[in-house]
Amino acid sequence: MAVTLRIDEVNYPFPALPKKLSADRQAWLKSEIKRLLKAQNAVLVTHYYTDPEIQALTEETGGCISDSLEMARYGRDAEQQTLIVAGVKFMGETAKILSPEKTVLMPTLEATCSLDIGCPADKFSAFCDQHPDHTIVVYANTSAAVKARADWVVTSSIALEIVDHLEANGEKIIWAPDKHLGAYIQKQTGADMLMWQGECIVHDEFSAQALRDMKKLHPDAAILVHPESPASVVDMADAVGSTTQLISASQALPNQTFIVATDRGIFYKMQQQAPNKTFIEAPTGGNGATCKSCAHCPWMAMNGLEAIYSALTGNHQQHEIRVDDILRVKAMKPLTRMLDFAADLKLKVKGNA
Ligand code: 13P
Ligand code: SF4
């Protein structure tokens, strides 16, 4: 069952993009950031959607580039005392919840996510109160306060398996906030799910009609789709999955060309891991369409070199993630549940191999 729940007052405060830097300034910033990371026992924990130069810098400094599940795990297990989370705010909050003893800095605390904005904790909590017999499953792309209200946190890497497990136990589910990911999971698992109606402004814009036109031009291309995209786009996919799963698919599938319906930041890793293949951005609208995000998350794009340098040198108040202690303790439970479930699953898969 789906519930139509309108969050009318949502508006998206689109940020200004980082200024273009001269080559000299870029080189200086990179070498300073490298020096400061070492001096401060800090490590970059970076999402695949950040700009290529940030991913390259993360590799050069021995940090981690990954999806949101692995970012959470890596941050928790990292030996460094300071995590510089190059992603969006919910990723920094997750790192802080799992590692309260570490300092978690973000290039900018203004890097948010339309899913997080579209699921205010007070409204979500009131919705949950109306359905006390439901298990509350929230996507990682939410605030600490929303996580604190949940029984489970999931990311797109593990959502199917967790909901499958809950469905097998006969549990009824409240799902929030992404309506497209929820619809995909519901279709795959047959679970009884009440859906919050949030959306990712990047993936929501991929257009099935324009994708059909593009596929005609590249009939041998495989289509890779992140499940935050609309069902009509997901239905055309050769592979659907989290960012890590899409990168794996781009290596495993025999096709030479791929049309990719997710943030174009992912092309850095895809091209690195399959250098002889061709990757094309999926279209975000018909001819002449204007799009809000054009396949690049405006908040991920805020993670520029100047902002990372500022996190390492500037006023910590402007960069440090803090999570209220009561919320942190509550949100730790569903997050740990997810990480434990993922670890058990990995062991099972290894055992069966
Ligand atoms: P992944 O967990 O697949 O990396 O997705 C995070 C995200 O924000 C997708 O838009
Ligand atoms: Fe949020 Fe979408 Fe940006 Fe991911 S791509 S952080 S879901 S707005």
Side-chain angles (χ1 to χ4, degrees):
M1 180 174 45
V3 155
T4 305
L5 208 146
R6 286 228 54 83
I7 310 295
D8 292 325
E9 65 270 36
V10 167
N11 63 33
Y12 304 117
F14 281 104
L17 291 181
K19 283 198 198 104
K20 275 230 164 293
L21 301 173
S22 70
D24 281 355
R25 180 74 183 159
Q26 281 186 34
W28 186 84
L29 284 169
K30 281 184 200 165
S31 91
E32 274 302 285
I33 291 169
K34 285 178 189 173
R35 184 183 67 75
L36 290 161
L37 285 171
K38 261 199 202 132
Q40 297 182 18
N41 189 24
V43 65
L44 280 165
V45 186
T46 298
H47 192 266
Y48 293 124
Y49 291 167
T50 55
D51 288 338
E53 64 183 0
I54 305 304
Q55 296 188 52
L57 182 64
T58 304
E59 286 171 337
E60 287 164 26
T61 54
C64 159
I65 311 165
S66 63
D67 66 11
S68 47
L69 179 64
E70 182 54 25
M71 284 174 82
R73 193 166 31 207
Y74 183 94
R76 183 194 61 183
D77 299 343
E79 62 192 27
Q80 289 86 349
Q81 254 315 299
T82 300
L83 307 175
I84 312 288
V85 177
V88 292
K89 195 168 174 196
F90 77 82
M91 295 169 174
E93 284 186 345
T94 296
K96 185 68 187 175
I97 292 164
L98 291 170
S99 306
E101 74 293 352
K102 290 181 183 159
T103 302
V104 179
L105 302 174
M106 295 204 62
T108 165
L109 296 178
E110 283 165 34
T112 183
C113 164
S114 62
L115 288 167
D116 187 346
I117 296 170
C119 191
D122 53 345
K123 290 195 172 58
F124 181 63
S125 195
F127 176 58
C128 295
D129 288 345
Q130 290 165 19
H131 305 283
D133 56 338
H134 282 60
T135 300
I136 304 168
V137 180
V138 304
Y139 197 29
N141 302 37
T142 46
S143 64
V146 166
K147 289 186 178 77
R149 189 66 172 81
D151 299 302
W152 288 85
V153 172
V154 299
T155 73
S156 52
S157 275
I158 194 87
L160 259 183
E161 289 83 354
I162 288 178
V163 172
D164 230 357
H165 161 79
L166 298 175
E167 143 73 6
N169 287 346
E171 294 180 45
K172 291 189 281 185
I173 293 167
I174 285 178
W175 170 272
D178 190 280
K179 63 182 180 187
H180 295 312
L181 179 59
Y184 171 69
I185 302 285
Q186 209 277 330
K187 195 170 167 187
Q188 298 296 313
T189 62
D192 181 340
M193 292 164 74
L194 286 172
M195 305 283 189
W196 193 260
Q197 296 293 300
E199 65 196 22
C200 159
I201 47 131
V202 179
H203 292 87
D204 187 55
E205 288 187 340
F206 290 116
S207 150
Q209 184 51 52
L211 185 55
R212 268 189 288 278
D213 293 344
M214 185 176 265
K215 176 76 179 169
K216 280 183 205 147
L217 298 175
H218 305 279
D220 298 330
I223 297 176
L224 306 179
V225 179
H226 195 285
E228 290 170 11
S229 309
S232 54
V233 174
V234 171
D235 287 346
M236 294 175 68
D238 295 286
V240 183
S242 69
T243 47
T244 299
Q245 290 161 349
L246 295 182
I247 292 166
S248 302
S250 71
Q251 289 178 277
L253 289 171
N255 309 59
Q256 271 306 304
T257 305
F258 293 85
I259 302 173
V260 184
T262 194
D263 185 293
R264 65 171 173 265
I266 204 171
F267 286 18
Y268 175 81
K269 266 285 162 212
M270 286 183 168
Q271 263 152 2
Q272 186 185 62
Q273 299 200 356
N276 299 322
K277 296 189 174 183
T278 303
F279 299 99
I280 305 170
E281 274 174 43
T284 46
N287 284 342
T290 54
C291 52
K292 285 186 231 149
S293 65
C294 301
H296 191 34
C297 176
W299 296 294
M300 288 284 184
M302 296 176 85
N303 291 282
L305 291 173
E306 292 282 9
I308 295 176
Y309 177 70
S310 171
L312 286 161
T313 53
N315 177 355
H316 268 199
Q317 294 285 56
Q318 286 170 12
H319 296 279
E320 184 165 2
I321 291 281
R322 295 179 194 274
V323 178
D324 170 85
D325 272 348
I326 294 172
L327 288 183
R328 183 178 59 68
V329 170
K330 284 188 182 163
M332 173 88 121
K333 282 189 195 155
L335 270 169
T336 305
R337 208 172 258 161
M338 168 181 75
L339 290 176
D340 289 349
F341 185 96
D344 284 352
L345 194 68
K346 214 174 180 179
L347 283 179
K348 274 188 208 148
V349 172
K350 253 195 189 157
N352 291 338

